[in-house]
Amino acid sequence: MASIVEKETAAAEERPRVASVYYNRLGLKMALDADPSVIYAEQLTGTYSGSLHHADLAVKSPYNTYRFAGLPPGPIANPGKSALEAAMHPIAQTFFILSATGMGIIALPGTWKNTTGM
């Protein structure tokens, strides 16, 4: 968990919120849908182009948290202290969606379906 949190945001103050979203998803047996895991999977195969596209989410790898529920089989990075602390002490909230903005990452309540109608 800490390695995903590490790669999801560079802002230490956002990491407990990010960890909480991922733990909430795990608690409901939802896919984590963590972009950094797809990037890592593509880096392992040498197919990462520098940005993610919709087709990349189908990469066949146990590290792809869009295709496989739960945590990947191993870390995707070397987490720092703030990511480790966030993974051990996520904030208590019921958000399930992460959205990147120009100001950082925000967490949104509800499921993807409830949030987007899709």
Side-chain angles (χ1 to χ4, degrees):
M1 179 63 74
S3 67
I4 294 172
V5 171
E6 175 75 28
K7 297 305 277 185
E8 189 67 59
T9 180
E13 68 275 5
E14 294 175 345
R15 288 181 170 157
R17 185 171 48 246
V18 168
S20 181
V21 166
Y22 286 135
Y23 280 122
N24 289 341
R25 291 177 184 177
L26 282 174
L28 292 180
K29 299 186 188 316
M30 293 173 62
L32 291 182
D33 291 351
D35 291 353
S37 71
V38 176
I39 292 169
Y40 183 76
E42 290 199 327
Q43 288 173 330
L44 288 176
T45 62
T47 58
Y48 183 58
S49 66
S51 61
L52 282 181
H53 302 90
H54 185 72
D56 296 322
L57 304 181
V59 65
K60 292 182 181 178
S61 168
Y63 285 92
N64 183 350
T65 60
Y66 280 83
R67 287 186 60 140
F68 301 98
L71 291 168
I76 63 167
N78 185 17
K81 181 180 178 185
S82 66
L84 290 165
E85 288 173 345
M88 291 185 298
H89 306 288
I91 63 170
Q93 49 85 5
T94 58
F95 295 167
F96 291 88
I97 306 297
L98 294 174
S99 180
T101 70
M103 306 282 287
I105 291 181
I106 60 171
L108 303 169
T111 64
W112 181 255
K113 183 176 181 180
N114 291 343
T115 303
T116 65
M118 299 171 81

